Amino acid sequence: MASTSLNLFGSAHLRDPYPAYAALRAMGPAVRLITQDVWAIPRYADVRAVLHDSKHFVSDGIALTDLANREILSGTVLSSGGDRHVRLRRVLSKQLSARSVKQLGQELRTRAGLLVDERIDCSGTFDAAALSRQMAGDTVMRLMGLPEEVWPQLGKRTAAFFDVCGPDGPRYQQALPLATAIVPFLHDTVTRDTVAEDSWLGAIYRAVDGGELDESDAIPLASAYAVAAMDTTVLGLTEAIRQLAHHPKQWSLLRQDTSLAENAIHEALRREAPVQGFGRLVAKRVRLGDTWIEAGEQVWLLYGSAGRDTDKWGVGADTFNIRRLNARDHLAFGAGRHACAGVPLALMQGRTLLEALASRCIRLSPAGEANRMLNNVLRGWSRVPIAAQLTGPLIGSRQPQ
């Protein structure tokens, strides 16, 4: 049995987790984290296998504390399994399908073009995190049908949800009040009278009225989709822009062929997974490699480590390459029954934003020090200043070609 005293949730690790991930992968397919009393699963093939094995691994144990699993995640689509998971997920499947998202294409292209023009100031600089937040976060809030006045308040709470999925500690304790307030906040501010009828929340309430869901399912389902769709997409888009600014040859490739935009998003997600890890509970005794894991124990799936596994990605695993042929094989969107339902929307938002930047900017480059956010589960940046060499004067109504 491989074990280690490495603390994957310490500040030093959260700033640079990749040396520890490499050490864990070298130790085996399952490594006991003594401090958290959980099995770390660091290799790509094993993370993928666990995600596809709902017989032995169930989603009751997404978080590392009983309180978070019982009080915050309980009843959500993220922590449900079996028929209940299918029933909850089915409610929004139409709104999140590739066909429905495709119909948003022109609207998102127009919005991306306007935002790029608004965000790049007269000096040619912008904050990639703020741009991504406005593009992805505001889009999700609108699609949910939430009143605009509640958008900032909900946005402040979503990152806390991921912090409380980690172990008890200072970050966990600081985030706990905000995370536990998400569902009550939505109960107080969201009703059938305040949400748009043709929105995600409107679809949830129609499902309740049609007997597909219980009334008590409505707000937990809405909160899970809001949380999953916002921070992760914002962080992924921010990272893609940051990587392109740090790799001018890759930016030139994208400008020459904007069909690479979607692959650039996949590559950024592979290299820097916005969700670094999530838990699963072992339902039946199972073997990973030479290690037996008993029923009732918990595993921690290291998406961040899987994205840098040289057994999957080769010796260039650390390299950012928007032409990587298998970039979309990454596990940042999950896999199996719990694969992210919002993939088409996330990719559409990312693709249209990169295309808008490519149509306006000859070059991108870092314009100062970026601010790393520290979160038990999320990895990303709260501020990323970027300098842009523009193709011409800003025109507020200009749309990307």
Side-chain angles (χ1 to χ4, degrees), residues 128-181:
L131 175 64
S132 300
R133 194 176 303 115
Q134 196 168 359
M135 178 69 188
D138 289 2
T139 298
V140 169
M141 294 286 192
R142 184 184 60 76
L143 290 173
M144 285 187 67
L146 290 168
E148 193 166 345
E149 59 269 19
V150 311
W151 293 5
Q153 301 171 64
L154 181 58
K156 292 177 182 178
R157 292 166 164 83
T158 53
F161 170 92
F162 291 95
D163 249 335
V164 299
C165 289
D168 194 350
R171 269 181 291 274
Y172 174 95
Q173 290 296 334
Q174 185 176 357
L176 194 58
L178 288 173
T180 54

Side-chain angles (χ1 to χ4, degrees), residues 10-78:
S11 295
H13 171 82
L14 295 179
R15 289 189 178 92
D16 183 13
Y18 298 107
Y21 288 161
L24 289 172
R25 291 195 300 271
M27 294 174 72
V31 181
R32 191 75 179 174
L33 299 181
I34 298 170
T35 305
Q36 282 78 41
D37 191 27
V38 64
W39 292 95
I41 312 300
R43 297 176 179 174
Y44 176 92
D46 298 304
V47 173
R48 188 177 186 281
V50 170
L51 290 171
H52 283 278
D53 185 357
S54 57
K55 175 182 177 182
H56 291 96
F57 302 94
V58 295
S59 55
D60 296 17
I62 284 181
L64 289 177
T65 66
D66 290 338
L67 175 62
N69 284 319
R70 185 178 65 249
E71 300 295 335
I72 298 173
L73 285 157
S74 179
T76 69
V77 68
L78 297 174

